Amino acid sequence: MNERRGTRILDCPWLDQREKWPTGCESVSAALCLQYAGWDVTPDFFIDYCLPKAGTPRLENGVWRGPDPRLCYPGDPRTEDGWGCFAPAVRRGIEICAALLGKSADARELYGKSLDALFREEIDEGRPVILFATMGMRPPRESRRWLIDGSGETYVWKTPMHCLLLIGYDGEDAVFSDPLAGPRERYSFRDTDVSYRGMGTQAVSVRV
């Protein structure tokens, strides 16, 4: 617990995803992370030119089938019917963004890192973290299942999935630039840890 004492909050930008991107939390968080690094990137640019996308899950002959949300975003982030994606898709989108802008970026998928490790290895080094959790840090629960196109693997979607930008810590709270809640949204370590672990303990950091 002693590692969590103190305060470090990065001065990151914020955008409200509810304005134009109701299911676009990943693209908004990625854009905010890149804006913090000094890049001129909007969520719309990221969605249109960088984010790997695919169709939504569909019912075929009584069986649900669909794309792998680890690798691409199913649907349209500008609609209420979009789904979500995870670290590999966001990392790939950042790499595409860097190539389009002629910039250099080391986007890293982080797995199995504790919150304390993220604070120590990323926040304390001045890097915000794109983190996969849930809305309001509520405990995740299983939702729809489908067979992944091409592999036949069963994918289990968890809800209420959310992606937000970890920007610091203060006392016993983790602090986020949360596209659904606010620019300095605080969640307890305990709630954040439950949500983060429930969604696979995955995140993305960017070194520029």
Side-chain angles (χ1 to χ4, degrees):
M1 294 292 289
N2 289 336
E3 288 185 79
R4 297 176 177 173
R5 304 301 182 186
T7 301
R8 179 74 190 276
I9 302 175
L10 304 179
D11 186 18
C12 292
W14 178 74
L15 289 169
D16 189 339
Q17 73 176 83
R18 293 166 294 190
E19 293 181 0
K20 295 174 62 178
W21 317 281
T23 54
C25 53
E26 304 89 353
S27 295
V28 175
S29 295
L32 293 174
C33 183
L34 296 175
Q35 287 176 15
Y36 176 76
W39 295 19
D40 184 15
V41 176
T42 66
D44 286 319
F45 180 85
F46 196 85
I47 290 168
D48 289 337
Y49 302 106
C50 311
L51 181 69
K53 296 184 290 293
T56 58
R58 64 211 179 269
L59 191 61
E60 293 182 352
N61 299 319
V63 178
W64 281 96
R65 302 180 184 276
D68 188 340
R70 292 166 294 198
L71 304 179
C72 59
Y73 182 100
D76 183 352
R78 296 189 181 93
T79 71
E80 296 284 354
D81 297 329
W83 287 76
C85 61
F86 293 93
V90 172
R91 187 262 309 157
R92 179 58 182 150
I94 292 170
E95 291 175 344
I96 293 171
C97 186
L100 290 174
L101 297 179
K103 294 182 177 291
S104 176
D106 178 11
R108 301 183 181 183
E109 298 172 34
L110 307 177
Y111 295 100
K113 296 277 188 180
S114 69
L115 289 175
D116 284 327
L118 294 181
F119 297 147
R120 183 177 62 253
E121 298 170 10
E122 304 295 335
I123 299 299
D124 285 349
E125 296 298 321
R127 290 185 294 269
V129 179
I130 301 166
L131 188 133
F132 298 85
T134 57
M135 299 176 188
M137 297 302 169
R138 301 196 294 274
R141 63 184 189 278
E142 292 187 2
S143 178
R144 186 176 302 284
R145 295 170 177 256
W146 66 83
L147 299 181
I148 294 176
D149 294 330
S151 73
E153 175 190 352
T154 297
Y155 188 84
V156 181
W157 182 261
K158 293 183 179 180
T159 188
M161 183 265 185
H162 191 32
C163 179
L164 60 173
L165 192 65
L166 176 65
I167 63 172
Y169 53 88
D170 183 19
E172 293 300 314
D173 291 336
V175 184
F176 293 87
S177 179
D178 183 344
L180 274 178
R184 298 292 182 271
E185 196 68 17
R186 297 165 183 267
Y187 299 103
S188 72
F189 287 132
R190 184 184 301 277
D191 290 347
T192 302
D193 189 61
V194 169
S195 174
Y196 171 55
R197 289 179 184 276
M199 297 304 290
T201 322
Q202 58 183 302
V204 175
S205 73
V206 182
R207 291 159 170 78
V208 297

